[in-house]
Amino acid sequence: MKILVTGGTVFVSKFIAKYFADGEHEVYVLNRNTKPQLNKVKPIICDRANIGDKLNGIHFDTVIDVTAYTANDIDNLLNSLDGFDNYVMISSSAVYPDTLKLPFNESDRIGKNKFWGDYGINKIAAEKALLKRVKNAYIIRSPYLYGEYNNIYREAFVFDCAERDAPFYMPKDGSMPLQFFNVLDLCTIIEILLKEQPDYNILNVGNTPVTIKEWVELCYSAVGKEPKFINVSADVEQRNYFPFYDYGYVLDTTRQNILLPRQLPFDIGLKRAYEWYKHNKDQVRKKDYFEFIEKNLR
């Protein structure tokens, strides 16, 4: 296939571009060239807000849109494309209101989520703009994505704790649910959607949820360690020392499980993530969790 991936230099878009390029597809990436480009891809250098004639004369079999955050992002790209057959947008669980009953189903209403604010509202607008113009587009709503190239300080923070043989400061009793999905499985589900062409537009993805405690134990295990936990009371703002909001949600993944009944086992996915992190620590945007812990929790 001839594929256009928006982005292509950071985390999800980078992994997707590499995956399909390694699969011998002809992959173009659209980005501003502010970070190193992958091998085997064809960069289209521009800001998606000002694409101009960069896409003229190119017909894509598939557009994989990872960097659509607003309706304008969608419209700017669609106005610039010369032609395409399939369109897949990576959206987010942030489009579901936090007041809905769990698990969130694809048919549930979408609306403001107080934890995600404008990010979720803008993703909703992007989804609507896409479906208004591309009736057969696929929209993938993901929970927390993880895996190689992850530049967000999530599992990497726990890996750092394990490497330091540090105790883990756990929010409350650690029972809050977290749901993840590996970027490798994301690529697989994109392939399946393109092949099977199901008659719906929206697809939730995600692994079986785990608790905070279970997630930390798996991250430590990927480093070959076992955690010692120190419970932190609810009076302390969780995001000051932990990568996630005090907000547990679960997506209904019935549709996904029909298409992809077996996903990458979580322990294997985290081991792969750690192997990448060991050699690429400078690519992760670290936060000052350790400083807060040292000053306020020890």
Side-chain angles (χ1 to χ4, degrees), residues 13 23 42-43 72 102 121 133 150 154 177 183 186 192 215 247 253 258 270 280 297:
S13 63
K42 299 180 179 181
N72 283 340
L102 296 176
I121 294 296
R133 296 180 60 175
N150 189 357
R154 291 175 180 161
V183 282
L186 181 63
I192 293 172
W215 176 66
Y247 168 54
T253 57
I258 293 171
L270 285 169
N280 297 277
L297 299 181

Side-chain angles (χ1 to χ4, degrees), residues 270-286:
L270 285 169
K271 286 177 182 176
R272 290 178 53 154
Y274 178 58
E275 285 303 311
W276 175 84
Y277 177 61
K278 283 194 301 185
H279 305 288
N280 297 277
K281 294 186 178 184
D282 60 327
Q283 295 187 35
V284 178
R285 301 194 310 265
K286 298 194 175 184

Side-chain angles (χ1 to χ4, degrees), residues 144-165:
Y144 299 113
L145 294 167
Y146 81 102
E148 294 97 318
Y149 301 141
N150 189 357
N151 63 326
I152 305 170
Y153 203 38
R154 291 175 180 161
E155 62 264 24
F157 167 61
V158 190
F159 296 154
D160 281 346
C161 291
E163 286 185 342
R164 296 181 182 198
D165 288 316

Side-chain angles (χ1 to χ4, degrees), residues 34 47 109 134 139 166 233 256:
T34 59
D47 190 307
R109 67 180 177 88
V134 185
I139 294 171
S233 73
Q256 168 206 277

